[in-house]
Amino acid sequence: MADEIILRVTRYRPEQSPLPFHEDFAVPFRNDMMVLDALAYVKDHMDGSLAFRWSCRMGICGSCGASVEGTPRLTCSTFLHEIRKPIVRVGPLGHFPVIKDLVVDMDDFMRKLQQVMPWIIRESEKPLERGEYSQLPEQVELYRQQSLCINCMICYAGCPVYGLEPEFIGPAALALAYRYNVDTRDHGSKERLARLIGRTGLWECTYVGECSVVCPKNVDPAGAIQRLKAPGAIQAIQILLPPILRR
Amino acid sequence: MPSTWWLRNPRYFLYMLREVTSIFVYLYALAFVVQFLLLADRGLFDAFRVLFTSSVFRAFTGVVLVMAVVHAITWWSLNAGVFRIRLRGRTLPPAALFAGGMLAWIVVSGLVYLLVFRGF
Amino acid sequence: MERFSHDLVIVGGGAAGLRAAIAAAEESPHLDIVIISKVYPMRSHTVSAEGGLAAVLRDYDTLDLHAFDTVKGSDFLADQDAVELFTREAPKEIIQLEHWGCPWSRDPDGRIAVRAFGGMSVKRTIFAADKVGFHLLHTLFQHSLKYDNIQRLDEWFVTSLVREGQRVIGATALDLRTGTMAGLTGKAFILTTGGAGRAFQFTTNGMIKTGDGMAMAYRAGAPLKDMEFVQFHPTALPGTGILITEASRGEGGYLRNADGDRFLKSYVPGKMELGPRDLLSRAIMTEIREGRGIEGPYGPHVHLDLTHLGRKVLSERLPMVTELAEKYVGINPEEESIPVRPGVHYMMGGVHTDATGQTSLAGLYAAGETACVSINGANRLGSNSLTECLVFGARAGLAAGRYARQASEVELPTEAVQAEEARLYDDLLGRERGGRGVAEIREELQTTMEDHVGISRDAASLSEATKVLARLKGSFEKVEVADKDRVFNTELTSVLELESMLTVAEAIVHSALRRTETRGAHFRTDFPERDDENFLAHTVVTQGETGPEIEYLPVTITRWKPEARVY
């Protein structure tokens, strides 16, 4: 490959121009270079005003999601050489309002995380002195996959339903609800499901499945949402029944 | 989002295709129900029989079959990962569920065929 | 100018900050708490911790043994009363996190599992595969969402602390989204902003770890302690500095040199790969210096051999190591050894506090890596730091919360915010044409620290570093800020971060220069022996008129008299 690559960045600087624009940066290319390394190179050596979030550079903090060649990805885990193009297009994650350059507004996402009550709900607490709640390895396995979400919001950028209906609770938050609902220590699944069976919850998902494809941590939100639909449907029907018939 | 969003990536396109296949299945079911209703009047049924045995309807049936197969395969490949069925302390792998699902679909189709055309 | 007022202001949203917030919120539902951080809580560097956290949960183990291991690991510089308190409260914190949903790995019988770790006599490191920090952080963050009295200011950069006499009463902060300055009045403050690994070139730390809290406290007049003790983690990936967890050795991995030898038999024969980090890092550098390293595109390294562990251990207990090796080095650890070399990992030093997190200023507390209690002394044992975040985070949360409840009302003077506005807007953003760029100064700082204040130091290298730092501070006065925008100006925040790093670096170098002995991670080639006669003491550094001023405080020794540290 050439020893230089063009990074075509979709930029937005509200104080300079009301509209987004493209800017090309010629960046020296190394074979082990991630998209994030190229962005950092631009910031350090070419244009300090380029704004993007990053921290851990090892795919665990979830800061650096961006649209790379139209696909939402973690820029710290995407090799430039994977893209096999002399010009690499990078832009902000789709479906979110842009604050500046690659920095998107996360308020909506943060609200939705809180909305699904992502904490252990107990009928009664066991005193700490009496030790842990026992959990067999296979019981941990029930929720392990969905507990691996790093909140990078890449699934939201991939989900066309969220793009069309911003009220949709969305993949990561629903996967998190699932994670707690199947945790054997939790007693809050009814309370949580009640928040998911409304207009903006489970039924909005039409199972496009893109969230699970683009997820960098293999969380499979799509699968988790489908698995919530059966108990969700049962609970939705129970609400319609007279109290005496409810379980 | 533009109304052409589903052209943006091949997976969105496949999703739309899967959704579209169900329209064909729906249309076929509609035709099937019409046939049942027509059965009430033998004369009327015979009049329409020409239509249902026409090459155009046969071609439509062929298309429906293809769509149904596409729908079944994509449905099972998507949902095989959703179900968690435990057998002898182990969770079944999605591939096994997919194969099982497809097999079940073929067996049921075969039984229906036997029932309708061989009458047991 | 915006103004906020809260009872308790927690600066930093990692493990220590979140644990502090929850502790304070649980004790008093009416306490008005805010977590203010330059990043969203889930991005905090706690997330990158991999291997585990230590606590005594098993019958074969004792609190005394955990305490002794920690004290010996610290090269006898830890305060033993604090260590004993730490080991006593650690198990409760592990159980508490379990009750909040943390997915700890389990034994087949359903109990919390434990693994071996460096410098620990027995298996006592609790883990969740090798994504311990990640799970710990997300459990704490998600649990914190439950409390109505914990608010957050995400992506706000605290630029300074404001004092009234000897009490901290407020802070100035920059809202990154809008670029506006705000004044934050608080009855009590807790600093939980982590360490400053990014002051060095080759580090396992994320880019946000720039020592902001330490620098902020130091500039406000709170002394820093034991800053010369900088931990090098033995196994980081050459090039990126990405951490390969010590748990890979805890699970049985080997370190090998170019000849394929497990060279640690000549350094720590009793512990081998489970020796403490200071000795292992030094051993690796010795191997490399003596020509037994392996040459690579990013310089010489040694090999971490996991090939004998088998697929099951790798996939169940070390999935992240497997993922990182495959992704960033392109090798399958089942078949090939991973190239590793030591990288800056952790600051044993920090803001001088007591065991409640209280600093030398009233109303100001610190916890986690930002603080120095000290339980880590001259060398921290692997898997003690996350536990420290929990134990001392909770303690600081309680102490600061109680202080805030009984403290008198305060009001942040408008002038303090105006002065900070003038510094950021007029001086930094307003300057027409600056000097050197922020990246250029930062790079020189990082290479200087790497070359002169690294694993081994001597008077000459440290004096050289003081000279370069003085020059860099001069350059910083005229640093160029090309981006004049207010909205999300990350060049401006880079400048503020560079200022923090320069401040912390200066404290490190001056503390290191004065300590003419070798202890733990502080290895002076010109003074290779430990000197208990003169230096069984904590270095306390205060910002003086002309530069850092250094004093020494005695180490608290309760039960374990200093002895030769042999593994």
Side-chain angles (χ1 to χ4, degrees):
Chain A
M1 253 180 120
D3 44 6
E4 211 174 68
I5 203 160
I6 306 288
L7 209 61
R8 179 163 294 167
V9 186
T10 308
R11 303 199 59 183
Y12 172 60
R13 298 179 68 185
E15 288 156 272
Q16 308 293 331
S17 149
L19 290 173
F21 58 99
H22 296 290
E23 193 165 355
D24 285 1
F25 298 99
V27 177
F29 174 82
R30 283 192 332 266
N31 202 48
D32 62 353
M33 205 169 183
M34 298 289 179
V35 174
L36 176 65
D37 297 326
L39 290 168
Y41 182 88
V42 172
K43 183 156 190 69
D44 285 353
H45 303 286
M46 302 171 84
D47 185 347
S49 72
L50 183 66
F52 52 96
R53 296 184 175 109
W54 72 283
S55 177
C56 78
R57 52 77 179 96
M58 54 194 277
I60 193 76
C61 80
S63 305
C64 70
S67 168
V68 181
E69 285 297 312
T71 303
R73 308 190 63 166
L74 288 179
T75 56
C76 75
S77 315
T78 306
F79 283 105
L80 279 172
H81 71 71
E82 280 175 50
I83 294 156
R84 298 175 180 282
K85 281 185 180 172
I87 298 177
V88 175
R89 293 177 298 139
V90 182
L93 282 179
H95 304 161
F96 292 98
V98 179
I99 296 173
K100 182 179 179 182
D101 294 341
L102 306 184
V103 178
V104 296
D105 186 337
M106 293 176 55
D107 285 354
D108 183 54
F109 175 74
M110 297 301 281
R111 257 196 310 275
K112 281 165 178 168
L113 279 187
Q114 185 156 27
Q115 189 183 343
V116 304
M117 310 172 86
W119 52 80
I120 295 279
I121 298 168
R122 297 276 306 176
E123 280 155 16
S124 64
E125 284 289 339
K126 176 169 157 180
L128 293 182
E129 303 75 58
R130 292 196 23 232
E132 72 256 45
Y133 300 116
S134 176
Q135 205 164 49
L136 300 172
E138 56 263 36
Q139 291 175 318
V140 176
E141 207 49 40
L142 292 174
Y143 64 84
R144 194 184 59 83
Q145 190 179 12
Q146 278 71 35
S147 75
L148 295 174
C149 170
I150 60 173
N151 298 167
C152 64
M153 317 198 299
I154 280 173
C155 54
Y156 284 74
C159 174
V161 176
Y162 181 66
L164 293 161
E165 176 48 85
E167 292 294 305
F168 175 41
I169 296 173
L174 288 172
L176 194 57
Y178 175 83
R179 172 252 175 276
Y180 279 98
N181 268 18
V182 297
D183 192 317
T184 52
R185 296 166 290 190
D186 183 79
H187 302 149
S189 58
K190 279 204 160 174
E191 212 175 324
R192 223 172 272 118
L193 265 184
R195 294 182 169 209
L196 311 185
I197 55 180
R199 198 181 53 78
T200 59
L202 297 172
W203 320 124
E204 281 290 302
C205 170
T206 56
Y207 205 177
V208 179
E210 183 74 357
C211 53
S212 295
V213 174
V214 294
C215 175
K217 293 285 135 180
N218 191 26
V219 170
D220 191 18
I225 296 171
Q226 309 321 307
R227 270 177 239 137
L228 282 171
K229 281 179 178 173
I234 291 168
Q235 187 158 321
I237 291 166
Q238 279 179 347
I239 292 169
L240 300 174
L241 296 175
I244 193 150
L245 292 177
R246 284 183 213 163
R247 255 194 317 132
Chain B
M1 293 233 296
S3 56
T4 54
W5 63 267
W6 50 279
L7 292 172
R8 213 177 333 176
N9 97 31
R11 291 178 301 271
Y12 290 172
F13 182 78
L14 274 177
Y15 160 77
M16 270 310 204
L17 188 71
R18 188 172 82 244
E19 298 291 297
V20 166
T21 56
S22 54
I23 295 176
F24 286 84
V25 176
Y26 164 78
L27 288 176
Y28 185 78
L30 205 65
F32 199 65
V33 170
V34 168
Q35 288 180 43
F36 260 108
L37 292 176
L38 290 176
L39 268 179
D41 184 332
R42 197 72 204 187
L44 207 58
F45 184 77
D46 283 343
F48 274 90
R49 181 177 238 158
V50 186
L51 182 65
F52 289 128
T53 52
S54 71
S55 53
V56 172
F57 193 79
R58 278 167 200 271
F60 169 69
T61 312
V63 170
V64 169
L65 180 66
V66 171
M67 292 292 177
V69 169
V70 169
H71 197 91
I73 291 175
T74 53
W75 195 91
W76 274 107
S77 66
L78 271 172
N79 284 285
V82 171
F83 299 117
R84 281 188 171 165
I85 296 171
R86 290 177 70 82
L87 209 64
R88 291 197 212 101
R90 281 184 51 229
T91 307
L92 281 182
L97 270 172
F98 176 73
M102 291 306 291
L103 193 70
W105 180 66
I106 290 165
V107 167
V108 170
S109 299
L111 285 176
V112 170
Y113 177 81
L114 287 175
L115 191 71
V116 173
F117 292 97
R118 295 281 183 273
F120 282 113
Chain C
M1 179 207 311
E2 282 181 275
R3 296 186 68 102
F4 298 99
S5 183
H6 298 275
D7 295 330
L8 175 58
V9 180
I10 298 169
V11 186
L18 289 165
R19 185 66 191 89
I22 295 168
E26 293 232 299
E27 193 181 56
S28 172
H30 301 297
L31 195 72
D32 167 13
I33 302 159
V34 68
I35 298 174
I36 180 166
S37 171
K38 65 178 178 180
V39 292
Y40 282 85
M42 314 82 80
R43 315 302 186 215
S44 305
H45 191 66
T46 302
V47 83
S48 296
E50 296 175 25
L53 63 173
V56 175
L57 290 187
R58 293 301 164 91
D59 295 339
Y60 58 68
D61 201 0
T62 65
L63 297 176
D64 279 359
L65 191 56
H66 186 190
F68 173 71
D69 286 344
T70 302
V71 169
K72 183 177 173 188
S74 81
D75 219 343
F76 296 90
L77 193 68
D79 287 315
Q80 297 181 6
D81 53 345
V83 172
E84 287 190 76
L85 183 150
F86 164 73
T87 56
R88 210 160 51 232
E89 297 197 358
K92 194 183 78 196
E93 287 295 327
I94 303 294
I95 303 298
Q96 179 65 80
L97 260 290
E98 195 280 335
H99 283 209
W100 289 340
C102 198
W104 300 133
S105 292
R106 305 282 178 151
D107 277 346
D109 64 0
R111 288 187 304 167
I112 295 173
V114 288
R115 67 162 41 132
F117 236 73
M120 300 287 182
S121 303
V122 295
K123 286 188 182 182
R124 67 162 71 96
T125 296
I126 290 93
F127 60 102
D130 57 355
K131 298 190 175 185
V132 180
F134 163 78
H135 283 301
L136 181 69
L137 181 69
H138 281 254
T139 302
L140 284 168
F141 165 61
Q142 287 159 13
H143 188 78
S144 79
L145 296 173
K146 183 177 145 176
Y147 299 92
D148 294 333
N149 58 331
I150 300 178
Q151 298 176 50
R152 286 199 326 272
L153 291 170
D154 297 324
E155 298 193 327
W156 282 66
F157 197 113
V158 176
T159 65
S160 74
L161 295 171
V162 182
R163 260 168 52 176
E164 188 182 83
Q166 285 300 303
R167 179 179 166 194
V168 171
I169 55 154
T172 56
L174 179 70
D175 178 1
L176 300 187
R177 183 190 303 222
T178 61
T180 49
M181 289 292 298
L184 207 61
T185 303
K187 291 184 189 162
F189 284 78
I190 308 177
L191 298 173
T192 53
T193 58
R198 280 277 157 175
F200 291 75
Q201 191 179 30
F202 188 70
T203 175
T204 63
N205 285 189
M207 99 68 156
I208 56 174
K209 292 201 58 189
T210 53
D212 305 320
M214 293 178 183
M216 209 182 296
Y218 185 66
R219 286 197 297 262
L224 304 180
K225 186 164 72 187
D226 293 341
M227 291 301 286
E228 62 272 42
F229 299 102
V230 177
Q231 178 161 79
F232 284 75
H233 195 289
T235 57
L237 294 180
T240 57
I242 288 172
L243 172 70
I244 298 298
T245 174
E246 186 163 314
S248 55
R249 283 171 281 126
E251 296 294 344
Y254 299 147
L255 283 173
R256 296 184 190 277
N257 61 18
D259 306 327
D261 281 341
R262 288 177 65 193
F263 56 88
L264 291 171
K265 61 182 183 287
S266 339
Y267 302 87
V268 278
K271 282 272 187 187
M272 293 301 285
E273 278 80 5
L274 293 180
R277 289 174 176 173
D278 54 341
L279 301 182
L280 260 56
S281 290
R282 218 174 294 163
I284 293 171
M285 293 319 283
T286 307
E287 289 296 300
I288 288 174
R289 200 173 49 245
E290 293 176 0
R292 290 186 296 277
I294 300 131
E295 277 305 323
Y298 294 99
H301 55 259
V302 295
H303 273 152
L304 176 64
D305 179 4
L306 308 179
T307 55
H308 55 290
L309 298 184
R311 177 171 299 173
K312 191 174 152 68
V313 169
L314 286 174
S315 68
E316 285 177 14
R317 299 201 153 202
L318 303 167
M320 182 135 152
V321 165
T322 309
E323 193 182 318
L324 293 172
E326 282 171 355
K327 183 88 218 180
Y328 294 93
V329 202
I331 61 164
N332 174 2
E334 221 179 302
E335 288 160 5
E336 282 179 82
S337 294
I338 305 172
V340 290
R341 57 159 282 202
V344 167
H345 185 57
Y346 183 88
M347 302 277 148
M348 268 70 76
V351 184
H352 170 44
T353 72
D354 66 13
T356 66
Q358 162 94 59
T359 69
S360 310
L361 298 174
L364 183 65
Y365 297 76
E369 193 179 348
T370 314
C372 181
V373 176
S374 152
I375 62 156
N376 299 313
N379 175 61
R380 174 177 71 80
L381 288 190
S383 77
N384 265 351
S385 74
L386 289 178
T387 316
E388 180 182 7
C389 286
L390 296 176
V391 168
F392 291 99
R395 290 180 68 84
L398 291 177
R402 284 168 198 164
Y403 178 85
R405 287 207 299 280
Q406 55 79 34
S408 55
E409 292 292 333
V410 281
E411 184 62 48
L412 179 71
T414 316
E415 304 82 67
V417 189
Q418 283 165 342
E420 204 54 7
E421 273 182 340
R423 182 170 80 96
L424 264 61
Y425 295 155
D426 304 340
D427 184 32
L428 283 171
L429 292 184
R431 65 178 60 147
E432 282 296 308
R433 181 89 189 98
R436 303 170 70 191
V438 60
E440 200 186 321
I441 304 176
R442 186 178 58 217
E443 271 164 37
E444 193 177 347
L445 165 71
Q446 290 167 336
T447 48
T448 304
M449 295 301 281
E450 192 75 24
D451 296 344
H452 300 307
V453 201
I455 291 183
S456 55
R457 307 137 176 206
D458 61 27
S461 72
L462 292 169
S463 308
E464 176 61 22
T466 57
K467 286 192 202 107
V468 179
L469 282 180
R471 183 161 50 75
L472 290 178
K473 278 177 85 176
S475 303
F476 180 80
E477 294 303 316
K478 297 190 290 290
V479 64
E480 158 104 326
V481 191
D483 188 358
K484 307 296 182 197
D485 289 357
R486 295 279 173 99
V487 173
F488 227 96
N489 188 333
T490 47
E491 193 177 14
L492 177 62
T493 46
S494 301
V495 167
L496 298 172
E497 290 174 333
L498 174 60
E499 187 181 31
S500 301
M501 288 191 283
L502 283 168
T503 308
V504 172
E506 189 179 48
I508 293 172
V509 173
H510 283 265
S511 303
L513 190 58
R514 285 282 296 275
R515 185 177 286 272
T516 50
E517 66 154 354
T518 288
R519 186 184 297 270
H522 177 65
F523 174 43
R524 287 283 299 251
T525 49
D526 47 353
F527 296 94
E529 299 300 322
R530 194 172 82 189
D531 177 4
D532 286 338
E533 192 87 12
N534 296 303
F535 286 106
L536 186 59
H538 298 294
T539 312
V540 176
V541 53
T542 316
Q543 177 168 275
E545 290 288 317
T546 55
E549 287 168 8
I550 288 174
E551 291 170 274
Y552 291 93
L553 282 181
V555 175
T556 308
I557 291 169
T558 56
R559 300 163 61 187
W560 298 284
K561 296 280 169 279
E563 56 183 54
R565 187 162 161 256
V566 182
Y567 287 98

